[in-house]
């Protein structure tokens, strides 16, 4: 690798380097201790230690080239190499292209300048195609060289960044370098002859966390496949941890979130992933989650500044965050003040002329925001004007106090007008009023205490709107949160849910979308719509709105439209309960966008088959219980109790366990504070019932205590009629228990657990997501092994290791495939056995690593035929059960079973004649050839293929799961009898010739090679004689000439004689009637030869083969 020319003092360097070549202008040197017998003694050990610890490739690479000028002790390092071939290539280039030119220069200074310019030009040319796009490209190139040299991963493996740190081996810290690449976490250390090399794939990480103890002040703990690794002494541990978190999350998304992966241009091209890009991505995700913005938004700029808060008459310090379509502000001084300004609302952007460095943003509704002490505020104003296209309004006298008009127009009104126009055009069926206003209109004439309290709440909010503004750009302060905790008034609930959830932005960006979705989705019939119909009348059945066709129809439209919008989720139970409550307080279109906000942003991955998001948040909940309620943790023997009891809390936002009049207050807090509100309330519920739970002797008693508590949670201020309230309908027996007001419970949860930060929840979600995914993967593995172990003789330990190798091969195949980085042949929604499947290319790699027959000269053909034999349903994929059955027979099968497999490999459908496109490669097949032959003769008519696909996997072939088809398939497998050898078709002459060749190849290199060749020659001769006798009996006229004369030499032919005749004179066979052999004939003949029986029955060490496969699986893909 060419290096940026740097000065080197040769006098000191000679202690560490040995000269190998030199001329008048260049010197080629080798590092002491490299390729020396005994490692170069103590000098070699010390040099190796320096190479590992110091950050300079010129000191690490074993070879380097220096540029020298006569009579000078200062040299310039211009190239380095990991091996002799690389450095020799550079040396030869210098001799051929530079040496002749240097003689024309008059001065040494001109020579040096010319060499420096030439080398820099070479580096710049290389940089055009370099994967490194970092702040310091020179330093990064050096680290990249060391990374390549130490680990030898394929050149497509993209190094993202590297850090100096210590790896703790027991209680001993080993100083070295941590390399973070797109697929691996790698560490290298070399200290006084002791080398440590560690490679961990990101998708195998089950735990990633920052820890600290007495020995390690602060370290990063990585757990992979049950092994714990600790790294410490980082310069910037938080930055390192954030990056590791992002890379691990990237790997998880590749496996389990293909849609996101496909639609993300950054993730879709692994070579574009950089340290800065990953950090920006993490900040964007936190930014979108905090401000509830559409997930497409990307954080572009962050500026520290002050925002003038007019109603409080002071400037609050915080950060202005700018994305493509929004300007947001969040305070950092404890005032809990935040603002969201959509650029679509901006009318003008101006700057002041005084020293305050202020930016003033004016929006619709006579409202303006003043941000002061903004660095580079003039450039910011120019950028924002360009971004939103707002023409500057000339303010001749800009007041330092910006007023907010109480007559501000609600921007939601404009959105609603647009939406209603589109709705009328597209559909006349969509409801334009919330169901609560239809079924429970407020009667102003009958005022009671609850109605008066409701009016007082409304008045409080109106005062807040006067001070803070109304609509999407309102100030959100501590006072806003306090009012939300008290409960949002019935008349304002829909509007404020839309604002706080960010759904108002989605609806504004997609006018008319819902009405069109309703039009297109109504009348469709699939699994989702059937499940929706089944659950419609189970959604708040006690509420009058859902006892009528009006409410049921609205619920059907919203759920069906969402299933149409997001078929990945479709419909999941609990969505009906949540949507019912949304429809009570929001208009139908608003309810749809609220559902979108919940399912796609606020509760990601909750509503799918594996409910991964809910499981992740339950793991976060358990972690918070351990931190805040340690006495409860000590009492409970199994923490999974909290997961099982709280699942419905998270999935339905407490709606399924609390009376409806109390549950809506929880939903208020959820839309304002997100998942933080649900976690806080969960902790408050457990804390309130702490004494009762500590007295419980089993889980059932604890569940009963919690259910009784929920039944007695009331909302004394609810204006809902008593006929609708569920809390008022409890029995007298239950009413004897102490009642708890929901407002008091929520207020207590805020007071006790309000210090839980959004950033901490985000980090805990990322951390626990790894654990949940790996737990689900472990469950999949255990289920697969349980099923497969019943049909094979392999031990559970052997199956376990085989499964790990099988799965790793699938992952490795797509690590460096640029055209398709998403993991193919993997679908977590399928039954366990079908989740991971490999194609013929992946099978070939595993066959070479694991098969005892892989030493055969025609191993590629054997791998191809074995794959075709296992591919029962002709979809060009095999699962682990099929794969393990083949390995089991090869290692544990009897003589008859192994011979039967070899026999079946040489007859259709497994056997296909292989014609090599490139004879120079011998029997090696290219990837394209292999995939072509694996698909040969398996194509079927479309209808037949669909029918067979549906039969083989009832879930693949239809949108609806056919349980009967599953049961039928299961019954067929149970009744499947042992295959009778008499049922096998006969082997014709060309197939028998290939069968004989295969046997000869298998015997090659065996200690008993000669006796095996002799035995197979005798068997071949015997079979041909038997065939001749049979043909004479059936056709006495037929010629007796043929193969028998060639094969029946005295004592049997040698390998060369038989094989050459089989290859060179097949035409002589075709002149005669076709002959064939049955399996029984071949079996009986081979059983007469003890050498053959002994060869196939000798035990083979599978354990050693598995160990070797694990170590060489990655190295087989390393750089050539």
């Amino acid at each position: 690798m060419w290096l940026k020319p740097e000065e080197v003092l040769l006098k000191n360097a000679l202690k560490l380097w040995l000269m190998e070549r030199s001329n008048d202008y260049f010197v080629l040197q080798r590092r002491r201790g490299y390729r020396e017998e005994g490692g170069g003694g103590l000098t070699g050990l010390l040099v190796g230690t320096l190479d590992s610890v110091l950050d300079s490739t010129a000191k690490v690479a074993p070879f380097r080239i220096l540029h020298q000028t006569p009579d000078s002790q200062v040299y310039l390092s211009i190239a380095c190499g990991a091996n002799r071939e690389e450095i020799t290539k550079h040396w030869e280039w210098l001799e051929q292209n530079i040496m002749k030119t240097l003689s024309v220069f008059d001065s040494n200074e001109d020579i040096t300048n010319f060499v420096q310019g030439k080398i820099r030009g070479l580096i710049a040319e290389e940089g055009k195609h370099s994967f490194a796009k970092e702040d310091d490209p020179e330093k990064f190139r050096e680290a990249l060289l060391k990374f390549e040299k130490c680990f030898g991963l394929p050149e497509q493996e993209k190094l993202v960044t590297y850090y100096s740190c210590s790896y703790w081996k027991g209680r001993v810290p080993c100083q070295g370098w941590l390399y973070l690449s797109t697929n691996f976490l790698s560490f290298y250390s070399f200290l006084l002859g002791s080398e440590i090399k560690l490679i961990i794939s990101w998708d195998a990480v089950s735990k990633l966390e920052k820890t600290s103890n007495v020995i390690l002040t602060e370290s990063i703990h990585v757990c992979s496949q049950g092994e714990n690794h600790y790294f410490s002494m980082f310069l910037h541990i938080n930055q390192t941890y954030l990056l590791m978190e992002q890379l691990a999350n990237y790997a998880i998304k590749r496996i389990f979130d293909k849609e996101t992966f496909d639609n993300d241009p950054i993730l879709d091209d692994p070579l574009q992933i950089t340290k800065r890009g990953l950090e920006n991505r993490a900040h964007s995700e936190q930014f979108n989650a905090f401000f509830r913005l559409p997930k497409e938004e990307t954080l572009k700029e962050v500026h520290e500044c002050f925002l003038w808060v007019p109603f409080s008459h002071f400037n609050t310090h915080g950060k202005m965050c700018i994305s493509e379509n929004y300007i947001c502000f969040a305070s950092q001084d404890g005032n809990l003040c935040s603002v969201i300004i959509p650029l679509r609302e901006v009318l003008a952007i101006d700057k002041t002329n005084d020293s305050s460095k202020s930016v003033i943003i004016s929006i619709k509704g006579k409202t303006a925001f003043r941000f002061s002490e903004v660095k580079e505020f003039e450039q910011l104003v120019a950028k924002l004007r360009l971004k939103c296209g707002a023409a500057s309004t000339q303010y001749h006298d800009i007041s330092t106090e910006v007023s907010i008009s109480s007559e501000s127009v609600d921007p939601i009104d404009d959105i609603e007008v647009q939406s209603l126009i589109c709705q009328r055009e597209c559909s006349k069926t969509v409801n334009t009023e919330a169901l609560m206003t239809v079924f429970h209109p407020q009667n102003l004439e009958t005022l009671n205490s609850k109605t008066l309290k409701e009016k007082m709440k409304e008045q409080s909010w109106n005062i807040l709107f006067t001070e803070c503004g109304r609509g999407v750009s309102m100030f959100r302060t501590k006072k806003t949160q306090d009012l939300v905790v008290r409960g949002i008034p019935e008349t304002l609930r829909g509007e404020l849910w839309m604002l706080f959830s960010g759904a108002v932005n989605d609806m504004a960006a997609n006018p008319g979308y819902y009405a069109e979705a309703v039009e297109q989705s109504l009348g469709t019939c699939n699994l989702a719509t059937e499940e929706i119909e089944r659950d419609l009348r189970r959604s708040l059945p006690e509420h009058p709105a859902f006892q009528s066709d009006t409410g049921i129809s609205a619920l059907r439209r919203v759920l069906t439209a969402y299933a149409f919008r997001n078929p990945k989720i479709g419909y999941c139970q609990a969505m009906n309960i949540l949507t019912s409550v949304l429809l009570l307080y929001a208009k139908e279109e608003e309810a749809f966008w609220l559902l979108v906000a919940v399912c796609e942003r606020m509760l990601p991955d909750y509503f799918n088959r594996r409910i991964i998001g809910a499981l992740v948040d339950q793991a976060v909940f358990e972690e918070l219980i351990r931190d805040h309620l340690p006495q409860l943790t000590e009492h409970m023997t199994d923490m999974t109790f909290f997961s099982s009891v709280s699942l419905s809390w998270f999935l339905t936002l407490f709606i399924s366990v609390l009376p409806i009049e109390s549950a809506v207050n929880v939903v208020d807090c959820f839309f304002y504070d997100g998942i933080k509100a649900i976690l806080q309330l969960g902790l408050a519920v457990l804390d309130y019932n702490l004494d009762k739970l500590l007295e419980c002797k089993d889980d059932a008693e604890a569940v009963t205590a919690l259910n009784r508590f929920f039944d007695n949670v009331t909302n004394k201020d609810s204006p809902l009629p008593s006929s609708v309230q569920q809390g008022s309908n409890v029995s007298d027996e239950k009413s004897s228990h102490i009642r708890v007001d929901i407002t008091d419970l929520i207020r207590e949860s805020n007071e006790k657990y309000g210090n839980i930060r959004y950033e901490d929840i985000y980090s805990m979600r990322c951390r626990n997501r790894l654990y949940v995914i790996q737990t689900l993967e472990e469950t999949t593995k255990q289920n697969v092994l349980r099923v497969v172990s019943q049909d094979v003789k392999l031990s559970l330990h052997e199956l376990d290791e085989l499964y790990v190798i099988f799965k790793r091969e699938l992952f490795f195949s797509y690590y460096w495939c640029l055209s398709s980085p998403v993991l193919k042949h993997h679908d977590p929604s399928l039954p366990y056995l079908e989740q991971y499947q490999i194609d013929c290319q992946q099978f070939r790699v595993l066959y070479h690593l694991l098969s005892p027959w892989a030493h055969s000269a025609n191993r590629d053909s054997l791998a191809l035929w074995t794959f075709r034999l296992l591919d029962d349903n002709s979809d060009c994929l095999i699962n682990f059960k099929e794969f393990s059955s083949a390995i089991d027979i090869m290692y544990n099968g009897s003589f008859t079973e192994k011979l039967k497999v070899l026999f079946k490999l040489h007859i259709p459908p497994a056997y296909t004649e292989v014609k090599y496109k490139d004879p120079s490669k011998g029997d090696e097949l290219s990837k394209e050839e292999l995939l072509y032959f694996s698909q040969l003769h398996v194509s079927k008519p479309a209808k037949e293929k669909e029918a067979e696909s549906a039969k083989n996997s009832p879930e693949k072939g239809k949108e609806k799961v056919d349980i009967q088809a599953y049961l039928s398939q299961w019954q067929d497998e149970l009744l499947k009898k042992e295959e009778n050898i008499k049922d096998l078709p006969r082997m014709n002459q060309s197939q028998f010739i290939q069968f004989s060749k295969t046997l000869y190849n298998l015997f090659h290199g065996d200690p008993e090679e000669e006796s095996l060749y002799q035995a197979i020659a005798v068997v071949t001769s015997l079979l041909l004689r038997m065939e001749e006798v049979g043909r004479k009996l059936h056709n006495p006229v037929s010629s007796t000439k043929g193969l028998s004369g060639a094969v029946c030499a005295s004592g049997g032919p040698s390998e060369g004689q038989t094989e050459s005749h089989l290859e060179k004179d097949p035409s002589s066979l075709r002149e005669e009637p076709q002959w064939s052999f049955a399996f029984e004939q071949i079996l009986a003949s081979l059983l007469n030869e003890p050498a053959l029986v002994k060869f196939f029955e000798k035990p083979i060490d599978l354990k050693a083969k598995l160990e070797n496969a694990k170590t060489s699986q990655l190295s087989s893909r390393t750089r050539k």
Side-chain angles (χ1 to χ4, degrees), residues 284-535:
S284 290
E285 288 174 355
Q286 293 184 29
F287 164 72
N288 290 342
F290 182 84
F291 291 107
R292 310 280 154 67
L293 299 180
K295 56 187 177 183
E296 295 80 18
E297 291 297 309
T298 304
L299 182 61
K300 297 294 184 184
E301 296 179 54
V302 178
H303 299 273
E304 282 203 30
C305 61
F306 290 86
L307 173 64
W308 175 252
V309 185
F311 49 88
S312 300
H313 300 285
F314 73 92
N315 281 307
T316 180
H317 176 253
K319 289 184 177 179
M320 178 199 291
C321 305
I322 302 170
S323 67
E324 292 93 341
N325 300 297
Y326 297 88
I327 301 169
C328 304
F329 176 87
S331 64
Q332 292 184 297
D333 54 8
N335 290 311
L336 298 177
C337 177
S338 63
V339 169
I340 301 170
I341 308 172
L343 293 182
R344 65 178 183 271
E345 297 290 318
V346 174
L347 294 174
I349 298 172
D350 293 275
K351 59 187 177 183
T352 55
N353 296 321
D354 54 26
S355 60
S356 63
K357 298 180 181 177
S358 297
V359 177
I360 297 178
I361 300 175
S362 304
I363 66 169
K364 297 173 186 176
K366 301 179 183 178
T367 306
F369 300 90
R370 193 191 73 164
F371 300 92
S372 59
E373 299 301 325
V374 183
K375 290 182 181 179
E376 300 179 350
F377 72 106
E378 292 180 346
Q379 293 93 320
L380 179 61
V381 168
K383 285 180 189 175
L384 291 177
R385 284 176 179 170
L386 191 64
K387 191 180 281 280
C388 66
S392 173
T393 304
Q394 297 300 321
Y395 287 89
H396 298 289
D397 183 16
I398 298 176
S399 170
T400 55
E401 180 174 320
V402 182
S403 63
I404 299 179
S405 171
S406 60
E407 300 173 359
S408 58
V409 178
D410 183 0
I412 293 185
D413 293 340
D414 296 334
I415 298 165
E416 287 173 358
V417 170
Q418 294 176 20
S419 299
L420 286 174
I421 292 170
C422 294
Q423 284 179 16
R424 290 191 187 108
E425 289 176 356
C426 300
S427 175
K428 303 292 183 183
T429 59
V430 175
N431 287 345
T432 56
E433 287 186 294
L435 294 177
M436 194 62 78
T437 60
V438 176
F439 288 88
H440 303 293
Q442 288 192 2
N443 190 349
L444 299 177
E445 296 177 1
T446 57
L447 291 176
N448 53 34
S449 60
K450 290 185 177 181
T451 310
L452 286 172
K453 282 185 179 179
E454 187 73 5
K455 287 295 174 187
M456 289 172 64
K457 278 187 188 179
E458 289 181 26
Q459 189 60 32
S460 298
W461 278 96
N462 287 328
I463 293 170
L464 181 77
F465 292 150
T466 303
E467 292 179 350
C468 302
R470 186 170 185 170
V472 69
S473 298
M474 68 183 289
F475 282 87
R476 305 172 195 209
T477 63
K478 181 72 168 63
K479 187 176 179 181
T480 314
Q481 186 183 46
D482 292 340
L483 289 177
V484 171
V485 168
R486 287 171 53 191
I488 298 174
E490 302 277 307
T491 54
L492 296 174
R493 193 161 261 144
E495 175 190 339
L496 293 177
W497 282 359
M498 289 290 289
L499 288 178
F500 297 148
S501 67
V504 63
N505 296 314
D506 293 322
M507 193 166 82
N510 300 279
Y513 177 95
Y514 173 65
E516 290 177 15
V518 169
E519 286 283 335
Q520 295 179 45
S521 62
L522 283 181
T524 58
C525 184
N526 51 42
L527 177 61
T529 56
E530 289 185 15
E531 290 179 343
I532 289 169
E533 288 299 325
R534 187 175 63 241
D535 288 346

Side-chain angles (χ1 to χ4, degrees), residues 583-597:
L583 282 166
L584 288 177
Y585 295 98
K587 298 171 185 178
E588 190 175 317
E589 183 179 11
E590 293 174 349
F592 171 79
W593 288 113
L594 284 168
L595 184 63
V596 169

Side-chain angles (χ1 to χ4, degrees), residues 814-1010:
Y814 292 99
Y815 278 175
W816 304 291
C817 182
L818 301 185
S819 60
S820 180
V822 181
L823 189 67
K824 285 188 177 179
H825 314 325
H826 171 55
D827 187 349
S829 66
L830 293 177
Y832 292 120
L833 272 175
E834 305 300 324
Q835 286 187 20
Y836 289 107
Q837 299 184 88
I838 57 174
D839 62 24
C840 193
Q841 166 63 15
Q842 294 152 355
F843 177 78
R844 172 171 65 174
V845 176
L846 292 175
Y847 186 90
H848 289 179
L849 288 171
L850 294 166
S851 173
W853 302 337
H855 64 276
S856 172
N858 65 333
R859 63 179 188 171
D860 277 6
S861 297
L862 281 177
L864 168 66
W865 299 331
T866 306
F867 179 84
R868 287 169 61 91
L869 179 65
L870 297 174
D871 185 18
D872 221 7
N873 58 356
S874 301
D875 63 351
C876 298
L877 295 171
I878 62 168
N879 59 35
F880 180 71
K881 184 178 181 181
E882 293 161 339
F883 172 75
S884 59
S885 67
I887 298 296
D888 182 54
I889 290 175
M890 290 178 193
Y891 283 91
N892 299 322
S894 64
F895 174 78
T896 304
E897 289 171 332
K898 290 178 182 178
L899 195 64
K900 186 166 70 174
V901 166
L902 283 171
F903 182 87
K904 291 169 74 174
L905 292 183
H906 293 82
I907 59 174
Y911 179 75
T912 181
E913 190 175 351
V914 177
K915 294 178 181 177
Y916 299 95
K917 293 180 182 177
D918 188 357
S920 63
K921 291 186 177 180
D923 291 335
E924 186 180 338
L925 287 167
S926 67
K927 181 179 178 180
E928 292 73 22
E929 289 174 324
L930 193 72
L931 295 176
Y932 167 75
F933 286 124
S934 69
Q935 299 165 12
L936 210 57
H937 306 309
V938 297
S939 58
K940 299 178 180 179
K943 291 183 180 178
E944 183 184 340
K945 198 168 185 177
E946 283 177 20
E948 187 167 316
S949 175
K951 181 181 176 183
N952 289 323
S953 180
E955 202 160 20
K956 281 184 185 176
K958 309 174 184 178
E959 286 196 23
K960 182 180 177 182
V961 179
D962 192 340
I963 303 299
Q964 292 297 325
Y966 269 128
L967 292 173
S968 174
Q969 181 183 341
W970 184 40
Q971 189 177 22
D972 289 344
E973 288 181 5
L974 290 175
L975 296 175
K976 209 172 188 180
K977 60 181 181 178
E978 186 73 23
E979 185 179 33
N980 195 320
I981 59 175
K982 291 183 179 179
D983 297 334
L984 292 172
R986 295 174 70 86
M987 181 182 281
N988 67 33
Q989 58 190 36
S990 63
Q991 294 159 3
F992 180 73
I993 291 171
Q994 185 59 58
F995 176 73
S996 302
K997 286 183 184 179
T998 298
L999 290 177
Y1000 277 115
N1001 287 329
L1002 290 179
F1003 301 152
H1004 182 66
D1006 191 270
E1008 304 294 327
E1009 185 175 2
E1010 285 302 321

Side-chain angles (χ1 to χ4, degrees), residues 44-307:
L45 291 177
L46 290 172
V47 171
T49 301
L50 284 171
D51 291 346
S52 176
V53 174
L54 297 179
D55 180 22
S56 173
T57 300
K59 296 170 186 167
V60 170
F63 296 96
R64 71 177 182 181
I65 297 175
L66 305 179
H67 167 59
Q68 65 176 355
T69 53
D71 306 322
S72 173
Q73 284 295 312
V74 178
Y75 285 55
L76 296 174
S77 63
I78 60 171
C80 64
N83 52 57
R84 195 178 298 277
E85 292 76 21
E86 182 184 358
I87 205 70
T88 302
K89 186 178 176 183
H90 285 341
W91 180 265
E92 289 173 352
W93 188 91
L94 289 170
E95 286 185 329
Q96 294 169 11
N97 297 278
I98 301 292
M99 286 293 295
K100 296 175 183 177
T101 311
L102 296 182
S103 59
V104 303
F105 292 101
D106 296 329
S107 68
N108 290 336
E109 187 178 346
D110 291 341
I111 292 173
T112 302
N113 290 337
F114 175 78
V115 171
Q116 285 183 320
K118 196 69 178 174
I119 299 302
R120 286 196 175 98
L122 290 170
I123 292 172
E125 189 64 29
E126 282 183 354
K128 291 180 182 178
H129 311 290
S130 173
F131 296 152
K133 296 180 180 178
E134 301 299 325
D135 297 332
D136 190 348
E138 282 302 318
K139 201 172 180 181
F140 193 85
R141 287 174 78 251
E142 294 177 4
L144 182 60
L145 180 73
K146 184 177 177 184
F147 173 68
E148 294 171 355
K149 175 189 167 224
C150 292
F151 304 102
L153 296 169
E155 61 182 15
Q156 295 94 338
E157 180 64 15
K158 169 74 165 61
L159 177 64
V160 176
T161 191
Y162 61 100
Y163 298 99
S164 172
C165 69
S166 289
Y167 172 66
W168 289 79
K169 196 173 183 182
R171 297 198 171 198
V172 180
C174 303
Q175 186 66 25
W177 291 92
L178 179 71
Y179 298 90
L180 306 181
S181 57
T182 48
N183 299 298
F184 297 99
L185 176 156
S186 311
F187 177 83
Y188 183 80
S189 173
F190 182 88
L191 294 172
L192 299 177
S194 175
E195 183 183 57
I196 297 175
K197 190 182 291 186
L198 186 69
I199 301 178
I200 300 171
S201 59
W202 289 116
D203 48 50
V205 173
S206 57
K207 185 177 284 187
L208 181 65
E209 60 183 354
K210 282 189 293 185
T211 59
S212 59
N213 54 40
V214 178
I215 300 174
L216 305 176
T217 52
E218 201 169 21
S219 64
I220 295 176
H221 172 210
V222 179
C223 180
S224 172
Q225 297 177 342
E227 295 182 5
N228 293 304
H229 308 277
Y230 293 89
F231 303 90
S232 66
M233 303 178 83
F234 290 97
L235 189 60
H236 303 290
I237 191 167
N238 291 330
Q239 181 193 69
T240 308
Y241 178 74
L242 176 67
L243 205 59
M244 292 170 75
E245 200 174 58
Q246 283 293 300
L247 285 166
N249 190 45
Y250 162 84
I252 293 298
K253 281 187 176 179
R254 173 171 45 198
I255 302 169
F256 291 99
D257 196 358
K258 297 180 184 180
E259 289 81 1
T260 302
F261 209 105
D262 276 333
N263 298 330
D264 194 315
I266 298 174
L267 294 179
D268 197 42
D269 185 359
L271 299 183
Q272 299 304 314
I273 293 176
T274 61
K275 173 186 170 185
R276 186 183 300 167
L278 287 170
E279 288 173 346
N280 292 344
R281 184 182 187 84
H283 294 144
S284 290
E285 288 174 355
Q286 293 184 29
F287 164 72
N288 290 342
F290 182 84
F291 291 107
R292 310 280 154 67
L293 299 180
K295 56 187 177 183
E296 295 80 18
E297 291 297 309
T298 304
L299 182 61
K300 297 294 184 184
E301 296 179 54
V302 178
H303 299 273
E304 282 203 30
C305 61
F306 290 86
L307 173 64

